[in-house]
Amino acid sequence: MKARLPQGYGGGAGNIQQLARQAQKMQDDMAAATEELNAKEYEASAGGNAVKVTVTGQLEVKAIEIEPEVVDPEDVEMLSDLVMAAVNEALRAANKDKEETMEKISGGLNLGAMGMGGLF
């Protein structure tokens, strides 16, 4: 007895070619989105804007701005904590934007690093 596929399944080479075209389009869309995301900048602050950090979509720190009044030689640890908090928040924002953008393109498929162009 032969197994039968439900109607609309099977069809041989035509369906495989269509699937390949869809996969190629998704890959092209992801590459374009990756390029766009890498060009973006993300800013975060800590301590009521006492420390502001800008990172790129490539997850590199581009700028750190520190208000002079938070520079206290007696409390360097507090300044370090503010810088670290602002950097981490900016990186989280960049990662969240990338994840949401790629999820929209992939329709929620979990493609791992391969589908993300090796970004993560």
Side-chain angles (χ1 to χ4, degrees), residues 3-119:
R4 296 181 72 145
L5 293 173
Q7 187 172 354
Y9 289 91
N15 282 346
I16 292 172
Q17 288 174 347
Q18 181 180 2
L19 184 60
R21 282 192 299 273
Q22 289 173 339
Q24 183 62 50
K25 182 184 181 327
M26 185 185 301
Q27 187 176 16
D28 292 345
D29 290 349
M30 286 184 160
T34 297
E35 189 174 324
E36 184 179 315
L37 289 165
N38 284 345
K40 288 177 84 172
E41 293 182 358
Y42 302 85
E43 186 176 293
S45 64
N49 291 330
V51 175
K52 294 180 188 175
V53 173
T54 304
V55 299
T56 67
Q58 295 178 328
L59 306 180
E60 295 176 352
V61 176
K62 182 176 181 180
I64 298 176
E65 298 174 34
I66 301 172
E67 293 297 320
E69 60 267 13
V70 297
V71 179
D72 179 359
E74 301 294 318
D75 196 2
V76 174
E77 186 177 337
M78 182 208 46
L79 180 56
S80 296
D81 289 344
L82 291 174
V83 171
M84 187 170 40
V87 167
N88 286 333
E89 184 56 34
L91 293 174
R92 273 192 289 276
N95 274 324
K96 182 179 179 193
D97 192 23
K98 285 182 180 190
E99 288 171 4
E100 290 173 355
T101 299
M102 294 304 174
E103 187 173 320
K104 286 178 195 172
I105 293 170
S106 70
L109 294 174
N110 182 3
L111 302 175
M114 182 179 79
M116 301 295 183
L119 290 178

